[in-house]
Amino acid sequence: MKMAFISDIHGNAVALEAVLADIEKHHVDSIAVLGDLCYRGPQPKRALDRIRSLECPVIKGNADEWVVRGVREGEVPEAKLAMMNDERQWTVEQLESEDLEYLEQLPTQFHWDLNSHLKLHTFHATPESLFDVVLPHESPEHLQTKLMVEEDADLYLYAHIHLPYVRYVGGKCLANLGSVGLPFDGQSKASYVIVDADEERFRVSIERVPYDVEKVAQQYVDNGYPYAGMMRRVVQEAQPPS
């Protein structure tokens, strides 16, 4: 079985279409989405509609939760709270009530049997939280405690941090998808993961896909996105907002 996993689209429909075109070239059996569909991008409605048209498994991310109920104190630095709720309000205004209902009911994790030998556990940030941040350089013990809690799984995939990587810990594989719409590793290319499983063997690959970054940067301005200048820099530099 060959599966493509995408996440953190963040309303970047241009990057999403580039990734879906790339996935088609790989002839995968199925696609799954690990959250953060439309918040903080210039085309939230188009991105969400495109994801829904795939009719594939989708789980909830922290940004999807924020779209539904707002950003709360303690979830982001106090100095950024009002700004991020302004962005959230703009996003909600682009969506319909049925879109919000869809985001609200999304599950938070999936378990997959890749075949009779290999099991996969997927979630957005950690199995217990949509918000916890677990970075690539953490100790093996920390990764096992926070991310690799399902002992019968062979492979663990998550999203949230926008930093793609693959590590082998305790004889098992852990990978982060990076981000389709807002990569934070300095490479302004969309990121996603392909898992190719055959009997007891599997291969995990991080795919990087170029897209029209300047077009997306201009969309923030043309579509009236709040804090458009900040988000233009984020997509152009592939770095987190400062």
Side-chain angles (χ1 to χ4, degrees):
M1 174 183 287
K2 182 186 289 187
M3 294 186 67
F5 294 88
I6 67 176
S7 71
D8 296 274
I9 295 94
H10 288 286
N12 187 340
V14 173
L16 174 60
E17 291 293 353
V19 164
L20 293 176
D22 193 72
I23 288 172
E24 187 173 359
K25 296 176 184 177
H26 287 278
H27 305 290
V28 303
D29 298 299
S30 58
I31 300 173
V33 185
L34 304 193
D36 283 7
L37 310 184
C38 49
Y39 174 70
R40 237 172 192 184
Q43 293 187 301
K45 176 65 173 172
R46 181 181 169 193
L48 180 57
D49 287 349
R50 188 66 177 96
I51 288 294
R52 296 187 66 180
S53 75
L54 299 175
E55 298 184 343
C56 69
V58 181
I59 64 176
K60 182 186 289 187
N62 64 297
D64 306 313
E65 182 75 0
W66 283 339
V67 171
V68 171
R69 50 81 161 165
V71 186
R72 296 174 179 169
E73 290 186 7
E75 293 176 342
V76 299
E78 183 65 28
K80 296 185 177 181
L81 182 61
M83 177 188 73
M84 294 183 70
N85 271 314
D86 288 344
E87 294 176 89
R88 178 260 178 184
Q89 182 60 39
W90 183 89
T91 301
V92 170
E93 290 170 359
Q94 315 308 309
L95 303 177
E96 300 173 4
S97 58
E98 192 264 344
D99 297 323
L100 299 180
E101 293 170 3
Y102 171 80
L103 294 174
E104 184 174 21
Q105 59 79 41
L106 289 173
T108 59
Q109 56 187 296
F110 280 126
H111 298 81
W112 312 82
D113 290 328
L114 296 174
N115 54 41
S116 60
H117 301 282
L118 297 170
K119 296 182 182 297
L120 168 63
H121 189 200
T122 62
F123 40 88
H124 181 71
T126 76
E128 306 299 329
S129 169
L130 296 177
F131 300 95
D132 286 351
V133 173
V134 182
L135 296 173
H137 62 265
E138 302 285 1
S139 69
E141 294 76 18
H142 186 75
L143 296 175
Q144 288 173 316
T145 299
K146 297 294 290 186
L147 301 176
M148 306 171 73
V149 296
E150 297 285 344
E151 294 183 359
D152 64 339
D154 305 284
L155 171 61
Y156 307 82
L157 297 182
Y158 75 114
H160 189 48
I161 61 173
H162 300 212
L163 299 170
Y165 74 92
V166 179
R167 280 185 68 176
Y168 291 86
V169 179
K172 298 185 177 185
C173 184
L174 170 67
N176 189 278
L177 277 56
S179 173
V180 169
L182 294 175
F184 287 170
D185 63 350
Q187 185 176 167
S188 55
K189 295 180 180 179
S191 176
Y192 75 99
V193 158
I194 289 179
V195 177
D196 192 357
D198 181 16
E199 296 301 323
E200 297 185 48
R201 301 175 58 183
F202 65 84
R203 182 168 63 91
V204 178
S205 61
I206 295 171
E207 308 293 332
R208 302 307 295 258
V209 182
Y211 70 93
D212 192 339
V213 173
E214 292 306 318
K215 179 178 181 179
V216 176
Q218 189 60 39
Q219 285 176 343
Y220 281 104
V221 177
D222 294 343
N223 295 350
Y225 190 87
Y227 313 101
M230 175 188 72
M231 293 310 299
R232 280 172 58 93
R233 291 191 296 273
V234 171
V235 296
Q236 289 170 333
E237 298 173 8
Q239 295 289 347
S242 56

